[in-house]
Amino acid sequence: MIAFLGMGLLGSNFVRALINKGNSVQVWNRTTSKATALEAYGAKAFADVTAAVKGASRVHITLKDDHTVDEVLAAAAPGLQPGAVIIDHTTTSADGAVQRTKDWKARGFTYLHAPVFMGPQNALESTGYMLVSGDQEVIATYTPVLAEMTGQVINFGDTAGKAAGMKLIGNSFLVSLTAGLADTLSLAKALNIPISDVTGLFGEWNPGNGLAARIKRMASGSYDSPSWELNMARKDTQLFIDAAAKADVPLAILPAIAKEMDQWIAKGHGQDDWTVIGKNSI
């Protein structure tokens, strides 16, 4: 028997996929109607979280944050059967994941943090990426069942909380990328260039292909053989800002990047490779 707590878009589709694979799943959600909606697919819904976990050898969680996870697990604890494993897919802090691993082990339970890079459709189709780290015996035991839920399980070694950290790193990139794309589309609007043309450009020229090389360049600590001088990158950044200002189109992050560039130029790095602005991150 499997229990699943948290019937948001991700959790509900995880449940549907598990049922499609022949599993019996007990579900709970703070808004009970979201749990009972899964009964149409064969789940057994509970209004009480303690009852929802009774008899379950595995308890999966997809909740909001550290506080919610701790609160829900505290409420569920009286119903947990001895030896139950708690598998938490919530995006949380690394410290929170470490503390929960320690605390639940002391109480006689296994807690495994397994955050994901998956959308709702991935959860339904069992595709995407699931991240784990910590006790390698535990991970070896549960990787087969986790692999059935996702396309790939990535093991980051025996450091508890590292999977949580890697999830945050990945999400920070997605947030930064989306904010950057928002400014890119704002610039296109200012220049009266259709989004379809922007899509076409990136379809032909995919800057994402250079991501690994860019990280390697930034991590090298060597910026004195530039492929794009910081002075020139700053000049172009001002062209972006001026074009947007002329069209009265707001920009979210490019002005902040310009300010950072100015600080590095003032330190004497204008002729270095523009990736020097990430030097303090290394």
Side-chain angles (χ1 to χ4, degrees), residues 257-268:
I257 294 171
K259 183 178 179 180
E260 183 71 14
M261 288 176 167
D262 287 341
Q263 292 176 356
W264 283 96
I265 290 171
K267 296 176 186 178

Side-chain angles (χ1 to χ4, degrees), residues 103-174:
D103 290 348
W104 284 98
K105 183 176 182 179
R107 297 177 67 169
F109 298 94
T110 297
Y111 171 91
L112 177 62
H113 191 226
V116 301
F117 290 122
M118 300 171 70
Q121 192 62 30
N122 296 115
L124 184 60
E125 297 172 351
S126 301
T127 60
Y129 300 87
M130 191 172 289
L131 319 180
V132 292
S133 69
D135 188 319
Q136 292 299 292
E137 290 187 10
V138 171
I139 290 171
T141 299
Y142 291 99
T143 290
V145 297
L146 296 180
E148 291 183 356
M149 297 175 64
T150 184
Q152 187 172 345
V153 177
I154 306 177
N155 184 349
F156 288 103
D158 58 7
T159 302
K162 190 172 183 179
M166 295 302 290
K167 168 63 173 175
L168 294 179
I169 289 168
N171 276 10
S172 74
F173 177 78
L174 293 177

Side-chain angles (χ1 to χ4, degrees), residues 208-226:
N209 290 334
L211 179 61
R214 181 63 51 81
I215 293 175
K216 184 177 180 180
R217 175 63 185 265
M218 294 175 70
S220 71
S222 176
Y223 310 100
D224 56 2
S225 297

Side-chain angles (χ1 to χ4, degrees), residues 67-86:
H67 174 74
T68 308
V69 170
D70 289 337
E71 182 180 63
V72 169
L73 285 179
L80 292 172
Q81 72 174 26
V85 60
I86 302 164

